[in-house]
Amino acid sequence: MALFQVIKYTGPAHMLVWRYPKTDMSTGSRLVVGPTQTAVFVRGGVICDVLGPGSYTLSTANLPILSALVKLPFGGKSPFTAEVFFINKLDVLDVKWGTARHIQLQDPVCRVVIPLRAFGQYGVRIMDSHRFLERLAGASQGFATQDLADYFRGILNSHIVEELSRYLLEKEICFLEANAHLSEIGAGVRQALEPLFREYGIEMVNFRISSINAPEGDPSVRKLRQVLDRRHEMDVLQYSYQQGRSFDVLEEAAQNLGAGSTAVDLGVGAALGSVLSGMAQSAVQPAFQAQDVRCCAACGASLPSDCAFCPKCGKPAGEITAYCVKCGAPLSAGSRFCGKCGQEVSPPP
């Protein structure tokens, strides 16, 4: 049986777990554990001892559990068999993730199903070497960063879909505006993933979403953009979607005037006139509501609130007069109701 004097990490730099290639060793051998590493001794599939950073001479004092299992005599260079795993506890900040396939997600604003893809990266740190080796990497010769990404890819995708759907629905945000909220969405995904990673002895250092996108050539994406463009136009014109649809239907019917009976044509024309009249009233009414001024009782000129004489005719300002807030008709001093529409006149401030 060969006796090895120095046991240390000589594996690749990107490995989270690396198994020392030999199992034959003896007391008196030298064990070197790096500043960001731990060394775990395993015998018969059972984790025996965990040693932190430092340089050790293997002895029964350093390996109490293993010594009890192997029944090593005290002192001397007694040979024994065990596996040594080096665990890298350095922060790994560049673990890439991405959805393997498009995620079918209904846009909460326009109710259009969109095929989405998301990409980003996250950072981890192994906090519990015993639990990590026991639950995730114990049966392998090594466990790299890519192995970690592959293992958690399905879990990540399911949580990302759930959190993205919840956030967009609660905030009533369209998918096309989701990239402006990546930090908030990423924070929610991280909060959901942290307890799961802790079960494997892993601490999540950060989580970032780089982008959320969909294929521009997809018919549902084109449809969504058309709906949003239409919605923005209506916001600028300040009328509702129902008004816009009514106008489109009546406009189409108006183009076909003459093709049907006279009664139908008259009905379409009356409906179109009613819609246009309602839209005009809704646009004009705020202008009347904004008119509530103090006027000269002699010439009707507008007066500043603190003016005692009219700057136009020089006569005393007299009593306050105003315009009706409903129809805009002028009101005489002391009027309680509008003489044109009957609207009750509010007392002057």
Side-chain angles (χ1 to χ4, degrees):
M1 183 180 294
L3 302 179
F4 296 90
Q5 300 300 316
V6 178
I7 304 170
K8 65 179 182 179
Y9 183 93
T10 57
H14 64 279
M15 301 296 290
L16 297 175
V17 178
W18 181 76
R19 178 180 176 273
Y20 187 71
K22 303 297 183 179
T23 59
D24 297 335
M25 54 197 71
S26 68
T27 56
S29 297
R30 196 73 175 166
L31 173 68
V32 179
V33 184
T36 61
Q37 298 173 348
T38 56
V40 181
F41 284 82
V42 179
R43 179 177 172 82
V46 179
I47 296 177
C48 300
D49 295 292
V50 180
L51 298 179
S55 181
Y56 305 88
T57 299
L58 299 185
S59 65
T60 54
N62 293 331
L63 307 172
I65 301 177
L66 183 62
S67 301
L69 292 177
V70 182
K71 300 185 184 304
L72 297 176
F74 184 81
K77 294 185 179 181
S78 302
F80 63 92
T81 301
E83 294 177 302
V84 180
F85 291 87
F86 287 89
I87 312 295
N88 185 3
K89 303 184 74 172
L90 186 69
D91 290 358
V92 182
L93 304 178
D94 60 346
V95 184
K96 303 293 190 300
W97 66 267
T99 53
R101 297 182 299 273
H102 288 96
I103 305 167
Q104 300 298 322
L105 180 66
Q106 185 182 47
D107 186 86
V109 176
C110 301
R111 306 301 179 186
V112 179
V113 178
I114 302 295
L116 300 181
R117 295 197 67 182
F119 302 91
Q121 66 182 42
Y122 60 94
V124 294
R125 179 193 306 121
I126 299 175
M127 297 299 297
D128 190 333
S129 300
H130 187 288
R131 178 173 295 186
F132 181 79
L133 189 63
E134 186 177 54
R135 299 202 56 182
L136 198 61
S140 60
Q141 296 293 322
F143 197 85
T145 302
Q146 187 58 45
D147 297 324
L148 182 73
D150 294 340
Y151 186 86
F152 287 103
R153 178 175 290 113
I155 300 173
L156 277 169
N157 288 347
S158 63
H159 281 79
I160 289 170
V161 172
E162 180 179 350
E163 182 62 25
L164 181 60
S165 302
R166 183 197 65 79
Y167 187 89
L168 296 182
L169 183 61
E170 288 183 358
K171 303 294 184 179
E172 296 184 354
I173 297 174
C174 174
F175 141 73
L176 295 175
E177 301 170 349
N179 281 304
H181 305 268
L182 295 182
S183 298
E184 294 89 340
I185 300 174
V189 176
R190 177 180 175 178
Q191 185 177 5
L193 291 175
E194 283 179 338
L196 177 65
F197 274 73
R198 280 197 297 267
E199 293 180 4
Y200 292 88
I202 304 171
E203 179 185 6
M204 179 165 280
V205 179
N206 58 50
F207 185 89
R208 294 186 178 89
I209 301 177
S210 301
S211 66
I212 300 173
N213 55 65
E216 290 295 332
D218 189 87
S220 58
V221 178
R222 293 199 300 266
K223 181 179 178 180
L224 177 60
R225 291 193 180 278
Q226 292 173 358
V227 172
L228 286 180
D229 291 343
R230 179 68 169 169
R231 182 183 178 189
H232 292 158
E233 290 176 2
M234 291 188 293
D235 290 341
V236 173
L237 296 175
Q238 296 182 351
Y239 67 97
S240 67
Y241 178 78
Q242 287 79 9
Q243 288 175 323
R245 289 296 300 150
S246 300
F247 188 83
D248 291 341
V249 172
L250 294 174
E251 182 182 24
E252 181 178 356
Q255 293 175 355
N256 298 323
L257 288 177
S261 64
T262 304
V264 173
D265 294 344
L266 292 175
V268 171
L272 179 60
S274 176
V275 171
L276 294 177
S277 176
M279 293 175 64
Q281 289 180 1
S282 63
V284 173
Q285 185 173 356
F288 289 135
Q289 293 176 352
Q291 301 295 327
D292 189 4
V293 297
R294 185 168 179 252
C295 302
C296 176
C299 67
S302 298
L303 300 176
S305 59
D306 58 348
C307 184
F309 295 90
C310 177
K312 183 176 181 181
C313 66
K315 295 183 179 181
E319 298 182 358
I320 297 176
T321 60
Y323 293 99
C324 177
V325 297
K326 183 175 181 181
C327 66
L331 303 174
S332 59
S335 297
R336 293 186 57 194
F337 296 90
C338 176
K340 183 177 181 180
C341 67
Q343 172 70 27
E344 184 177 3
V345 179
S346 301

